[in-house]
Amino acid sequence: MSRAKSVVVVGGGVVGLSIAWYVRQRGHSVTVVDRGPADRANCSRINAGMIVPSHIVPLAAPGMIELGLRMLPNPESPFSIRPRPSPDLVRWGLLFMRNANTGHVERSAPLLRDLNLESRRCYEEFADRFGNTFDLVKKGLLMLFRSEQALREEARIAERARTLGIPADVLTAEATAKLDPAVRMDIVGSVHFPQDCHFSPQRFLERLTGELLGAGVTLHADTEVTGWRVEGGRVTAARTRTDDLPGDEFVLAGGAWSPETVRELGIRLPMQAGKGYSLTLDRPPQQPTICSILTEARVAITPMGSSLRVGGTMEITGNDLSVNERRVEGIRKSVPLYFPEFKADDLRSAPVRSGLRPCSPDGLPYVGRFARFENLSVATGHAMMGMSLGPITGKLIAELLSDETPSVRVEALSPDRFGGHRR
């Protein structure tokens, strides 16, 4: 291992805390800086809590643009873009269109498989180490369908998954009911991905935070990085409103706020925030035992102990956490279509929380060093897979900073792949 270093991690979500864990495990000192308060319900904490080796298709895929355009007129649809005069949004959109092709999906699928499977192993190690206090459940994921056409399309993805070593079973409605008899479903069938898992993200992050504090990691909550001190090709300190935080290495894991954090360094990191909402029912009418995705509605359902979390929507609206009630109502209305024992009113009493997913224009995260600064790395852009890929991202960054061979090849995840430097 390389010499012990002082590492500053900007961002306290699952990615930032995972980086802190794996970096500290290698003997480096770590300071984590997060712009929100310690008890903030950030995107990681309100997440659906799914680990998804099944998700081998990146966000930028054929048909996504057409699907998004069809959804735009419906104010309750799971997708929307807020038009605004933003060169960054235009550039992101053009890059997205360039990458939404079959070749990109074929190249990305093995990488997403490897990342998710390695991250699943990391979660299993955490469960063993922490006594599974975050309720890791390994029963798979059900993709539920109300239309035969959508089921046929997913069956093709399932076949592709199987060729990559990801088990997948196409099930009838009757077979699905036998797999999870605790809940009544109104579906034509499902695809079951048995390697997928679910857990409680809130409990995981609380336990991980406690372990980090016990290991000597310094956590600064409610502390925004407002700038940088630079000498030559190295960053020497992260500036906040009260202090400069010096270090040997700096890692940007600030989610949707990452692009603006490095803008003054002349770095353009193409990314847009994809807002989503989650609702948690403390007393659901029925309690599934397997997490699921209501495929046509783009809604995720996750049992968490005695409660049930429901999440969905992708709103490209900038870094805006305000709640669009029409989009939330679309989530509420979709659940009874698949689970007829539920009523939309069952979800109206549940508090609504919003979070911003950092979306790169090719659907792959940014993981690695910026070429312009030899000691500045980035770990963001995971879109809907931030929670699933948090631990492996942390491990990869720790390996990079410790001059180790990475567990997964990360060349395709370079933060410079879109030529983001400004001179």
Side-chain angles (χ1 to χ4, degrees), residues 61-107:
M64 287 302 297
I65 296 170
E66 180 185 355
L67 177 63
L69 290 174
R70 289 204 311 266
M71 290 182 177
L72 279 179
N74 181 0
E76 295 184 356
S77 77
F79 177 76
S80 70
I81 296 179
R82 179 190 297 167
R84 59 192 189 277
S86 167
D88 289 338
L89 176 59
V90 171
R91 181 169 183 250
W92 182 89
L94 292 172
L95 288 169
F96 188 96
M97 288 189 288
R98 183 189 304 171
N99 284 281
N101 59 72
T102 302
H104 173 62
V105 171
E106 290 297 315
R107 290 188 298 272

Side-chain angles (χ1 to χ4, degrees), residues 112-249:
L112 290 173
R113 172 203 61 191
D114 293 346
L115 289 169
N116 276 296
L117 287 175
E118 284 295 325
S119 212
R120 185 184 191 275
R121 280 189 275 273
C122 292
Y123 274 115
E124 289 176 323
E125 292 170 359
F126 279 125
D128 289 341
R129 185 167 189 138
F130 298 165
N132 198 17
T133 54
F134 56 95
D135 300 328
L136 178 65
V137 177
K138 296 186 282 188
K139 289 188 175 182
L141 164 73
L142 284 169
M143 304 288 293
L144 303 179
F145 298 90
R146 287 180 50 80
S147 77
E148 294 284 358
Q149 179 182 347
L151 178 57
R152 286 193 296 270
E153 291 172 358
E154 187 68 24
R156 288 193 287 270
I157 296 175
E159 178 58 32
R160 174 60 174 146
R162 286 192 290 268
T163 66
L164 291 171
I166 302 295
D169 301 306
V170 181
L171 304 177
T172 64
E174 293 75 16
T176 306
K178 291 179 182 178
L179 199 60
D180 195 359
V183 61
R184 185 164 74 92
M185 292 173 269
D186 185 5
I187 57 173
V188 299
S190 71
V191 176
H192 181 226
F193 291 96
Q195 286 191 328
D196 288 19
C197 311
H198 69 270
F199 64 100
S200 168
Q202 177 78 17
R203 290 184 180 181
F204 174 71
L205 293 171
E206 287 174 353
R207 180 60 184 267
L208 185 56
T209 298
E211 295 286 338
L212 290 171
L213 292 171
V217 171
T218 301
L219 301 179
H220 292 292
D222 210 9
T223 304
E224 183 177 2
V225 170
T226 58
W228 306 87
R229 202 167 65 215
V230 176
E231 293 179 10
R234 292 183 61 83
V235 174
T236 59
R239 287 180 169 156
T240 72
R241 287 186 171 83
T242 55
D243 295 296
D244 283 3
L245 301 174
D248 300 311
E249 296 276 0

Side-chain angles (χ1 to χ4, degrees), residues 27 48 69 179 181 199 203 228 282 293 312 361 381 400 403 408 410 418:
L69 290 174
L179 199 60
F199 64 100
R203 290 184 180 181
W228 306 87
D282 292 329
I293 293 178
L400 172 69
D403 301 320
V408 179
V410 295
F418 300 113

